[in-house]
PDB file of all heavy atoms in Angstrom:
ATOM      1  N   ARG A 162      81.129 120.981  99.382  1.00  0.00           N
ATOM      2  CA  ARG A 162      81.012 120.497 100.747  1.00  0.00           C
ATOM      3  C   ARG A 162      82.239 119.668 101.104  1.00  0.00           C
ATOM      4  O   ARG A 162      82.701 118.846 100.307  1.00  0.00           O
ATOM      5  CB  ARG A 162      79.740 119.673 100.900  1.00  0.00           C
ATOM      6  CG  ARG A 162      78.516 120.539 100.705  1.00  0.00           C
ATOM      7  CD  ARG A 162      77.180 119.907 100.971  1.00  0.00           C
ATOM      8  NE  ARG A 162      77.137 118.499 101.209  1.00  0.00           N
ATOM      9  CZ  ARG A 162      76.116 117.728 100.866  1.00  0.00           C
ATOM     10  NH1 ARG A 162      75.086 118.249 100.245  1.00  0.00           N
ATOM     11  NH2 ARG A 162      76.120 116.450 101.132  1.00  0.00           N
ATOM     12  N   ALA A 163      82.756 119.878 102.292  1.00  0.00           N
ATOM     13  CA  ALA A 163      83.990 119.219 102.717  1.00  0.00           C
ATOM     14  C   ALA A 163      83.891 117.702 102.651  1.00  0.00           C
ATOM     15  O   ALA A 163      84.859 117.033 102.284  1.00  0.00           O
ATOM     16  CB  ALA A 163      84.365 119.672 104.124  1.00  0.00           C
ATOM     17  N   GLU A 164      82.707 117.139 102.962  1.00  0.00           N
ATOM     18  CA  GLU A 164      82.599 115.681 102.960  1.00  0.00           C
ATOM     19  C   GLU A 164      82.729 115.082 101.563  1.00  0.00           C
ATOM     20  O   GLU A 164      83.011 113.897 101.415  1.00  0.00           O
ATOM     21  CB  GLU A 164      81.300 115.209 103.636  1.00  0.00           C
ATOM     22  CG  GLU A 164      80.038 115.635 102.942  1.00  0.00           C
ATOM     23  CD  GLU A 164      79.439 116.922 103.474  1.00  0.00           C
ATOM     24  OE1 GLU A 164      80.150 117.709 104.149  1.00  0.00           O
ATOM     25  OE2 GLU A 164      78.261 117.159 103.204  1.00  0.00           O
ATOM     26  N   TRP A 165      82.542 115.887 100.522  1.00  0.00           N
ATOM     27  CA  TRP A 165      82.713 115.374  99.164  1.00  0.00           C
ATOM     28  C   TRP A 165      84.171 115.091  98.836  1.00  0.00           C
ATOM     29  O   TRP A 165      84.466 114.318  97.936  1.00  0.00           O
ATOM     30  CB  TRP A 165      82.153 116.334  98.140  1.00  0.00           C
ATOM     31  CG  TRP A 165      80.654 116.441  98.155  1.00  0.00           C
ATOM     32  CD1 TRP A 165      79.764 115.587  98.757  1.00  0.00           C
ATOM     33  CD2 TRP A 165      79.882 117.455  97.556  1.00  0.00           C
ATOM     34  NE1 TRP A 165      78.486 116.009  98.554  1.00  0.00           N
ATOM     35  CE2 TRP A 165      78.522 117.178  97.815  1.00  0.00           C
ATOM     36  CE3 TRP A 165      80.198 118.588  96.822  1.00  0.00           C
ATOM     37  CZ2 TRP A 165      77.498 117.963  97.360  1.00  0.00           C
ATOM     38  CZ3 TRP A 165      79.158 119.381  96.374  1.00  0.00           C
ATOM     39  CH2 TRP A 165      77.823 119.069  96.631  1.00  0.00           C
ATOM     40  N   ILE A 166      85.087 115.734  99.524  1.00  0.00           N
ATOM     41  CA  ILE A 166      86.493 115.528  99.202  1.00  0.00           C
ATOM     42  C   ILE A 166      87.037 114.236  99.830  1.00  0.00           C
ATOM     43  O   ILE A 166      88.021 113.680  99.365  1.00  0.00           O
ATOM     44  CB  ILE A 166      87.350 116.751  99.583  1.00  0.00           C
ATOM     45  CG1 ILE A 166      88.665 116.704  98.805  1.00  0.00           C
ATOM     46  CG2 ILE A 166      87.579 116.833 101.085  1.00  0.00           C
ATOM     47  CD1 ILE A 166      89.407 117.993  98.731  1.00  0.00           C
ATOM     48  N   ASN A 167      86.371 113.739 100.866  1.00  0.00           N
ATOM     49  CA  ASN A 167      86.872 112.545 101.558  1.00  0.00           C
ATOM     50  C   ASN A 167      87.060 111.338 100.642  1.00  0.00           C
ATOM     51  O   ASN A 167      88.078 110.650 100.760  1.00  0.00           O
ATOM     52  CB  ASN A 167      85.987 112.212 102.754  1.00  0.00           C
ATOM     53  CG  ASN A 167      86.134 113.237 103.852  1.00  0.00           C
ATOM     54  OD1 ASN A 167      87.160 113.885 103.991  1.00  0.00           O
ATOM     55  ND2 ASN A 167      85.081 113.399 104.642  1.00  0.00           N
ATOM     56  N   PRO A 168      86.135 111.032  99.712  1.00  0.00           N
ATOM     57  CA  PRO A 168      86.393 109.899  98.819  1.00  0.00           C
ATOM     58  C   PRO A 168      87.644 110.094  97.953  1.00  0.00           C
ATOM     59  O   PRO A 168      88.348 109.128  97.649  1.00  0.00           O
ATOM     60  CB  PRO A 168      85.132 109.834  97.950  1.00  0.00           C
ATOM     61  CG  PRO A 168      84.068 110.456  98.789  1.00  0.00           C
ATOM     62  CD  PRO A 168      84.769 111.543  99.560  1.00  0.00           C
ATOM     63  N   PHE A 169      87.940 111.327  97.583  1.00  0.00           N
ATOM     64  CA  PHE A 169      89.126 111.596  96.776  1.00  0.00           C
ATOM     65  C   PHE A 169      90.397 111.442  97.606  1.00  0.00           C
ATOM     66  O   PHE A 169      91.400 110.907  97.134  1.00  0.00           O
ATOM     67  CB  PHE A 169      89.033 112.991  96.148  1.00  0.00           C
ATOM     68  CG  PHE A 169      87.917 113.108  95.162  1.00  0.00           C
ATOM     69  CD1 PHE A 169      86.678 113.597  95.558  1.00  0.00           C
ATOM     70  CD2 PHE A 169      88.087 112.704  93.851  1.00  0.00           C
ATOM     71  CE1 PHE A 169      85.630 113.689  94.657  1.00  0.00           C
ATOM     72  CE2 PHE A 169      87.038 112.791  92.942  1.00  0.00           C
ATOM     73  CZ  PHE A 169      85.809 113.282  93.344  1.00  0.00           C
ATOM     74  N   ILE A 170      90.350 111.894  98.855  1.00  0.00           N
ATOM     75  CA  ILE A 170      91.500 111.742  99.759  1.00  0.00           C
ATOM     76  C   ILE A 170      91.779 110.254  99.990  1.00  0.00           C
ATOM     77  O   ILE A 170      92.926 109.803  99.887  1.00  0.00           O
ATOM     78  CB  ILE A 170      91.234 112.466 101.093  1.00  0.00           C
ATOM     79  CG1 ILE A 170      91.216 113.986 100.877  1.00  0.00           C
ATOM     80  CG2 ILE A 170      92.275 112.076 102.143  1.00  0.00           C
ATOM     81  CD1 ILE A 170      90.725 114.783 102.074  1.00  0.00           C
ATOM     82  N   ALA A 171      90.735 109.500 100.289  1.00  0.00           N
ATOM     83  CA  ALA A 171      90.898 108.060 100.523  1.00  0.00           C
ATOM     84  C   ALA A 171      91.404 107.361  99.271  1.00  0.00           C
ATOM     85  O   ALA A 171      92.290 106.492  99.337  1.00  0.00           O
ATOM     86  CB  ALA A 171      89.577 107.457 100.987  1.00  0.00           C
ATOM     87  N   SER A 172      90.867 107.735  98.127  1.00  0.00           N
ATOM     88  CA  SER A 172      91.268 107.128  96.864  1.00  0.00           C
ATOM     89  C   SER A 172      92.730 107.408  96.547  1.00  0.00           C
ATOM     90  O   SER A 172      93.463 106.524  96.096  1.00  0.00           O
ATOM     91  CB  SER A 172      90.363 107.654  95.749  1.00  0.00           C
ATOM     92  OG  SER A 172      90.733 107.113  94.515  1.00  0.00           O
ATOM     93  N   LEU A 173      93.175 108.636  96.795  1.00  0.00           N
ATOM     94  CA  LEU A 173      94.573 108.974  96.545  1.00  0.00           C
ATOM     95  C   LEU A 173      95.488 108.146  97.445  1.00  0.00           C
ATOM     96  O   LEU A 173      96.468 107.560  96.980  1.00  0.00           O
ATOM     97  CB  LEU A 173      94.815 110.467  96.759  1.00  0.00           C
ATOM     98  CG  LEU A 173      96.242 110.903  96.415  1.00  0.00           C
ATOM     99  CD1 LEU A 173      96.220 112.247  95.723  1.00  0.00           C
ATOM    100  CD2 LEU A 173      97.119 110.962  97.637  1.00  0.00           C
ATOM    101  N   GLY A 174      95.163 108.076  98.721  1.00  0.00           N
ATOM    102  CA  GLY A 174      95.979 107.289  99.649  1.00  0.00           C
ATOM    103  C   GLY A 174      96.039 105.836  99.251  1.00  0.00           C
ATOM    104  O   GLY A 174      97.111 105.208  99.269  1.00  0.00           O
ATOM    105  N   ASN A 175      94.895 105.286  98.841  1.00  0.00           N
ATOM    106  CA  ASN A 175      94.839 103.894  98.428  1.00  0.00           C
ATOM    107  C   ASN A 175      95.644 103.654  97.154  1.00  0.00           C
ATOM    108  O   ASN A 175      96.384 102.674  97.049  1.00  0.00           O
ATOM    109  CB  ASN A 175      93.382 103.464  98.232  1.00  0.00           C
ATOM    110  CG  ASN A 175      93.260 101.999  97.943  1.00  0.00           C
ATOM    111  OD1 ASN A 175      93.819 101.162  98.643  1.00  0.00           O
ATOM    112  ND2 ASN A 175      92.512 101.675  96.906  1.00  0.00           N
ATOM    113  N   ALA A 176      95.508 104.527  96.168  1.00  0.00           N
ATOM    114  CA  ALA A 176      96.239 104.373  94.909  1.00  0.00           C
ATOM    115  C   ALA A 176      97.746 104.433  95.134  1.00  0.00           C
ATOM    116  O   ALA A 176      98.495 103.605  94.598  1.00  0.00           O
ATOM    117  CB  ALA A 176      95.808 105.443  93.900  1.00  0.00           C
ATOM    118  N   PHE A 177      98.194 105.382  95.942  1.00  0.00           N
ATOM    119  CA  PHE A 177      99.627 105.490  96.191  1.00  0.00           C
ATOM    120  C   PHE A 177     100.150 104.285  96.974  1.00  0.00           C
ATOM    121  O   PHE A 177     101.241 103.792  96.702  1.00  0.00           O
ATOM    122  CB  PHE A 177      99.964 106.802  96.909  1.00  0.00           C
ATOM    123  CG  PHE A 177     100.302 107.915  95.963  1.00  0.00           C
ATOM    124  CD1 PHE A 177      99.304 108.548  95.235  1.00  0.00           C
ATOM    125  CD2 PHE A 177     101.605 108.328  95.773  1.00  0.00           C
ATOM    126  CE1 PHE A 177      99.603 109.568  94.349  1.00  0.00           C
ATOM    127  CE2 PHE A 177     101.926 109.336  94.889  1.00  0.00           C
ATOM    128  CZ  PHE A 177     100.914 109.967  94.164  1.00  0.00           C
ATOM    129  N   GLN A 178      99.364 103.819  97.937  1.00  0.00           N
ATOM    130  CA  GLN A 178      99.824 102.689  98.742  1.00  0.00           C
ATOM    131  C   GLN A 178      99.793 101.383  97.949  1.00  0.00           C
ATOM    132  O   GLN A 178     100.761 100.636  97.944  1.00  0.00           O
ATOM    133  CB  GLN A 178      98.973 102.554 100.008  1.00  0.00           C
ATOM    134  CG  GLN A 178      99.511 101.529 100.987  1.00  0.00           C
ATOM    135  CD  GLN A 178     100.896 101.868 101.511  1.00  0.00           C
ATOM    136  OE1 GLN A 178     101.134 102.950 102.024  1.00  0.00           O
ATOM    137  NE2 GLN A 178     101.833 100.949 101.364  1.00  0.00           N
ATOM    138  N   THR A 179      98.681 101.090  97.281  1.00  0.00           N
ATOM    139  CA  THR A 179      98.549  99.790  96.612  1.00  0.00           C
ATOM    140  C   THR A 179      99.261  99.734  95.264  1.00  0.00           C
ATOM    141  O   THR A 179      99.868  98.719  94.937  1.00  0.00           O
ATOM    142  CB  THR A 179      97.073  99.396  96.418  1.00  0.00           C
ATOM    143  OG1 THR A 179      96.425 100.368  95.613  1.00  0.00           O
ATOM    144  CG2 THR A 179      96.359  99.270  97.745  1.00  0.00           C
ATOM    145  N   MET A 180      99.195 100.787  94.482  1.00  0.00           N
ATOM    146  CA  MET A 180      99.793 100.761  93.142  1.00  0.00           C
ATOM    147  C   MET A 180     101.270 101.134  93.133  1.00  0.00           C
ATOM    148  O   MET A 180     102.020 100.666  92.280  1.00  0.00           O
ATOM    149  CB  MET A 180      99.037 101.721  92.213  1.00  0.00           C
ATOM    150  CG  MET A 180      97.579 101.371  92.003  1.00  0.00           C
ATOM    151  SD  MET A 180      97.313  99.752  91.268  1.00  0.00           S
ATOM    152  CE  MET A 180      98.095  99.960  89.686  1.00  0.00           C
ATOM    153  N   LEU A 181     101.668 101.984  94.084  1.00  0.00           N
ATOM    154  CA  LEU A 181     103.035 102.505  94.055  1.00  0.00           C
ATOM    155  C   LEU A 181     103.862 102.111  95.282  1.00  0.00           C
ATOM    156  O   LEU A 181     105.048 102.436  95.345  1.00  0.00           O
ATOM    157  CB  LEU A 181     102.996 104.038  93.943  1.00  0.00           C
ATOM    158  CG  LEU A 181     102.217 104.611  92.756  1.00  0.00           C
ATOM    159  CD1 LEU A 181     102.118 106.119  92.867  1.00  0.00           C
ATOM    160  CD2 LEU A 181     102.850 104.192  91.439  1.00  0.00           C
ATOM    161  N   SER A 182     103.229 101.481  96.271  1.00  0.00           N
ATOM    162  CA  SER A 182     103.899 101.161  97.548  1.00  0.00           C
ATOM    163  C   SER A 182     104.536 102.402  98.151  1.00  0.00           C
ATOM    164  O   SER A 182     105.647 102.359  98.677  1.00  0.00           O
ATOM    165  CB  SER A 182     104.940 100.056  97.361  1.00  0.00           C
ATOM    166  OG  SER A 182     104.325  98.868  96.921  1.00  0.00           O
ATOM    167  N   CYS A 183     103.812 103.506  98.063  1.00  0.00           N
ATOM    168  CA  CYS A 183     104.309 104.792  98.550  1.00  0.00           C
ATOM    169  C   CYS A 183     103.301 105.372  99.534  1.00  0.00           C
ATOM    170  O   CYS A 183     102.189 105.719  99.148  1.00  0.00           O
ATOM    171  CB  CYS A 183     104.506 105.755  97.379  1.00  0.00           C
ATOM    172  SG  CYS A 183     105.094 107.388  97.865  1.00  0.00           S
ATOM    173  N   PRO A 184     103.679 105.481 100.805  1.00  0.00           N
ATOM    174  CA  PRO A 184     102.758 106.078 101.771  1.00  0.00           C
ATOM    175  C   PRO A 184     102.622 107.582 101.544  1.00  0.00           C
ATOM    176  O   PRO A 184     103.542 108.238 101.062  1.00  0.00           O
ATOM    177  CB  PRO A 184     103.421 105.789 103.115  1.00  0.00           C
ATOM    178  CG  PRO A 184     104.879 105.674 102.796  1.00  0.00           C
ATOM    179  CD  PRO A 184     104.956 105.100 101.408  1.00  0.00           C
ATOM    180  N   VAL A 185     101.442 108.101 101.872  1.00  0.00           N
ATOM    181  CA  VAL A 185     101.208 109.543 101.785  1.00  0.00           C
ATOM    182  C   VAL A 185     100.763 110.042 103.146  1.00  0.00           C
ATOM    183  O   VAL A 185     100.135 109.323 103.912  1.00  0.00           O
ATOM    184  CB  VAL A 185     100.140 109.908 100.724  1.00  0.00           C
ATOM    185  CG1 VAL A 185     100.587 109.527  99.335  1.00  0.00           C
ATOM    186  CG2 VAL A 185      98.797 109.291 101.035  1.00  0.00           C
ATOM    187  N   GLN A 186     101.128 111.269 103.445  1.00  0.00           N
ATOM    188  CA  GLN A 186     100.676 111.914 104.675  1.00  0.00           C
ATOM    189  C   GLN A 186      99.940 113.181 104.283  1.00  0.00           C
ATOM    190  O   GLN A 186     100.491 114.077 103.642  1.00  0.00           O
ATOM    191  CB  GLN A 186     101.845 112.242 105.591  1.00  0.00           C
ATOM    192  CG  GLN A 186     101.375 112.839 106.890  1.00  0.00           C
ATOM    193  CD  GLN A 186     102.437 112.740 107.969  1.00  0.00           C
ATOM    194  OE1 GLN A 186     103.524 112.234 107.754  1.00  0.00           O
ATOM    195  NE2 GLN A 186     102.106 113.239 109.131  1.00  0.00           N
ATOM    196  N   ARG A 187      98.669 113.245 104.685  1.00  0.00           N
ATOM    197  CA  ARG A 187      97.799 114.351 104.302  1.00  0.00           C
ATOM    198  C   ARG A 187      98.042 115.571 105.173  1.00  0.00           C
ATOM    199  O   ARG A 187      98.223 115.474 106.371  1.00  0.00           O
ATOM    200  CB  ARG A 187      96.341 113.905 104.425  1.00  0.00           C
ATOM    201  CG  ARG A 187      95.341 114.978 104.083  1.00  0.00           C
ATOM    202  CD  ARG A 187      93.920 114.465 104.167  1.00  0.00           C
ATOM    203  NE  ARG A 187      93.479 114.154 105.512  1.00  0.00           N
ATOM    204  CZ  ARG A 187      92.898 115.031 106.335  1.00  0.00           C
ATOM    205  NH1 ARG A 187      92.710 116.271 105.957  1.00  0.00           N
ATOM    206  NH2 ARG A 187      92.502 114.669 107.518  1.00  0.00           N
ATOM    207  N   GLY A 188      97.992 116.728 104.537  1.00  0.00           N
ATOM    208  CA  GLY A 188      98.019 117.995 105.245  1.00  0.00           C
ATOM    209  C   GLY A 188      96.603 118.504 105.444  1.00  0.00           C
ATOM    210  O   GLY A 188      95.632 117.786 105.225  1.00  0.00           O
ATOM    211  N   ALA A 189      96.477 119.751 105.817  1.00  0.00           N
ATOM    212  CA  ALA A 189      95.176 120.354 106.115  1.00  0.00           C
ATOM    213  C   ALA A 189      94.423 120.731 104.836  1.00  0.00           C
ATOM    214  O   ALA A 189      95.006 121.277 103.895  1.00  0.00           O
ATOM    215  CB  ALA A 189      95.360 121.600 106.972  1.00  0.00           C
ATOM    216  N   VAL A 190      93.119 120.460 104.821  1.00  0.00           N
ATOM    217  CA  VAL A 190      92.250 120.859 103.716  1.00  0.00           C
ATOM    218  C   VAL A 190      92.069 122.369 103.770  1.00  0.00           C
ATOM    219  O   VAL A 190      91.851 122.944 104.834  1.00  0.00           O
ATOM    220  CB  VAL A 190      90.875 120.157 103.829  1.00  0.00           C
ATOM    221  CG1 VAL A 190      89.936 120.634 102.731  1.00  0.00           C
ATOM    222  CG2 VAL A 190      91.030 118.647 103.785  1.00  0.00           C
ATOM    223  N   ALA A 191      92.164 123.018 102.605  1.00  0.00           N
ATOM    224  CA  ALA A 191      92.004 124.473 102.539  1.00  0.00           C
ATOM    225  C   ALA A 191      91.272 124.831 101.257  1.00  0.00           C
ATOM    226  O   ALA A 191      91.223 124.040 100.316  1.00  0.00           O
ATOM    227  CB  ALA A 191      93.370 125.155 102.560  1.00  0.00           C
ATOM    228  N   LEU A 192      90.707 126.025 101.211  1.00  0.00           N
ATOM    229  CA  LEU A 192      90.129 126.527  99.975  1.00  0.00           C
ATOM    230  C   LEU A 192      91.247 126.806  98.988  1.00  0.00           C
ATOM    231  O   LEU A 192      92.305 127.322  99.363  1.00  0.00           O
ATOM    232  CB  LEU A 192      89.336 127.811 100.225  1.00  0.00           C
ATOM    233  CG  LEU A 192      88.057 127.669 101.047  1.00  0.00           C
ATOM    234  CD1 LEU A 192      87.441 129.047 101.301  1.00  0.00           C
ATOM    235  CD2 LEU A 192      87.060 126.756 100.356  1.00  0.00           C
ATOM    236  N   LYS A 193      91.021 126.483  97.745  1.00  0.00           N
ATOM    237  CA  LYS A 193      91.999 126.721  96.687  1.00  0.00           C
ATOM    238  C   LYS A 193      91.972 128.191  96.306  1.00  0.00           C
ATOM    239  O   LYS A 193      90.910 128.764  96.075  1.00  0.00           O
ATOM    240  CB  LYS A 193      91.652 125.841  95.480  1.00  0.00           C
ATOM    241  CG  LYS A 193      92.351 126.187  94.199  1.00  0.00           C
ATOM    242  CD  LYS A 193      93.772 125.762  94.212  1.00  0.00           C
ATOM    243  CE  LYS A 193      94.389 126.051  92.837  1.00  0.00           C
ATOM    244  NZ  LYS A 193      95.765 126.283  92.882  1.00  0.00           N
ATOM    245  N   ASN A 194      93.138 128.788  96.236  1.00  0.00           N
ATOM    246  CA  ASN A 194      93.263 130.179  95.811  1.00  0.00           C
ATOM    247  C   ASN A 194      93.937 130.235  94.452  1.00  0.00           C
ATOM    248  O   ASN A 194      94.960 129.593  94.240  1.00  0.00           O
ATOM    249  CB  ASN A 194      94.097 130.983  96.817  1.00  0.00           C
ATOM    250  CG  ASN A 194      93.373 131.153  98.130  1.00  0.00           C
ATOM    251  OD1 ASN A 194      92.177 131.401  98.151  1.00  0.00           O
ATOM    252  ND2 ASN A 194      94.090 130.999  99.232  1.00  0.00           N
ATOM    253  N   GLY A 195      93.373 130.991  93.542  1.00  0.00           N
ATOM    254  CA  GLY A 195      93.983 131.176  92.233  1.00  0.00           C
ATOM    255  C   GLY A 195      93.732 130.014  91.289  1.00  0.00           C
ATOM    256  O   GLY A 195      93.009 129.068  91.591  1.00  0.00           O
ATOM    257  N   HIS A 196      94.374 130.087  90.126  1.00  0.00           N
ATOM    258  CA  HIS A 196      94.173 129.094  89.073  1.00  0.00           C
ATOM    259  C   HIS A 196      95.428 128.288  88.789  1.00  0.00           C
ATOM    260  O   HIS A 196      95.413 127.433  87.907  1.00  0.00           O
ATOM    261  CB  HIS A 196      93.731 129.786  87.782  1.00  0.00           C
ATOM    262  CG  HIS A 196      92.471 130.576  87.934  1.00  0.00           C
ATOM    263  ND1 HIS A 196      91.246 129.990  88.125  1.00  0.00           N
ATOM    264  CD2 HIS A 196      92.262 131.912  87.939  1.00  0.00           C
ATOM    265  CE1 HIS A 196      90.332 130.918  88.233  1.00  0.00           C
ATOM    266  NE2 HIS A 196      90.918 132.104  88.134  1.00  0.00           N
ATOM    267  N   THR A 197      96.516 128.569  89.474  1.00  0.00           N
ATOM    268  CA  THR A 197      97.778 127.912  89.194  1.00  0.00           C
ATOM    269  C   THR A 197      98.024 126.787  90.191  1.00  0.00           C
ATOM    270  O   THR A 197      98.124 127.036  91.393  1.00  0.00           O
ATOM    271  CB  THR A 197      98.943 128.926  89.269  1.00  0.00           C
ATOM    272  OG1 THR A 197      98.665 130.007  88.383  1.00  0.00           O
ATOM    273  CG2 THR A 197     100.260 128.278  88.881  1.00  0.00           C
ATOM    274  N   PRO A 198      98.102 125.542  89.708  1.00  0.00           N
ATOM    275  CA  PRO A 198      98.453 124.452  90.613  1.00  0.00           C
ATOM    276  C   PRO A 198      99.849 124.665  91.187  1.00  0.00           C
ATOM    277  O   PRO A 198     100.683 125.364  90.604  1.00  0.00           O
ATOM    278  CB  PRO A 198      98.419 123.215  89.715  1.00  0.00           C
ATOM    279  CG  PRO A 198      97.507 123.593  88.593  1.00  0.00           C
ATOM    280  CD  PRO A 198      97.773 125.064  88.375  1.00  0.00           C
ATOM    281  N   LYS A 199     100.099 124.072  92.322  1.00  0.00           N
ATOM    282  CA  LYS A 199     101.354 124.308  93.036  1.00  0.00           C
ATOM    283  C   LYS A 199     102.570 123.720  92.323  1.00  0.00           C
ATOM    284  O   LYS A 199     103.662 124.269  92.397  1.00  0.00           O
ATOM    285  CB  LYS A 199     101.242 123.738  94.442  1.00  0.00           C
ATOM    286  CG  LYS A 199     102.422 124.068  95.303  1.00  0.00           C
ATOM    287  CD  LYS A 199     102.122 123.942  96.754  1.00  0.00           C
ATOM    288  CE  LYS A 199     103.335 124.408  97.538  1.00  0.00           C
ATOM    289  NZ  LYS A 199     103.027 124.835  98.847  1.00  0.00           N
ATOM    290  N   TYR A 200     102.381 122.587  91.634  1.00  0.00           N
ATOM    291  CA  TYR A 200     103.528 121.888  91.052  1.00  0.00           C
ATOM    292  C   TYR A 200     103.455 121.853  89.533  1.00  0.00           C
ATOM    293  O   TYR A 200     102.439 122.199  88.937  1.00  0.00           O
ATOM    294  CB  TYR A 200     103.640 120.491  91.663  1.00  0.00           C
ATOM    295  CG  TYR A 200     103.807 120.581  93.162  1.00  0.00           C
ATOM    296  CD1 TYR A 200     102.784 120.197  94.019  1.00  0.00           C
ATOM    297  CD2 TYR A 200     104.956 121.120  93.718  1.00  0.00           C
ATOM    298  CE1 TYR A 200     102.920 120.326  95.392  1.00  0.00           C
ATOM    299  CE2 TYR A 200     105.096 121.250  95.092  1.00  0.00           C
ATOM    300  CZ  TYR A 200     104.076 120.853  95.924  1.00  0.00           C
ATOM    301  OH  TYR A 200     104.207 120.990  97.274  1.00  0.00           O
TER     302      TYR A 200
END
């Protein structure tokens, strides 16, 4: 369910901002295709 991802999105933004002083800008949520992470 899409609403389950919101705590992870918020947590990532908070971790990057508070721990790393690095702002993040979120893109669009999409279904994951395949098994290979992008990076």
Side-chain angles (χ1 to χ4, degrees):
R162 295 186 352 212
E164 64 266 19
W165 291 345
I166 200 162
N167 290 333
F169 295 94
I170 291 170
S172 179
L173 184 141
N175 186 50
F177 268 75
Q178 188 62 54
T179 61
M180 298 300 297
L181 304 173
S182 298
C183 179
V185 296
Q186 183 161 0
R187 179 178 68 89
V190 176
L192 292 176
K193 166 75 176 152
N194 291 319
H196 302 290
T197 305
K199 187 160 185 156
Y200 301 109

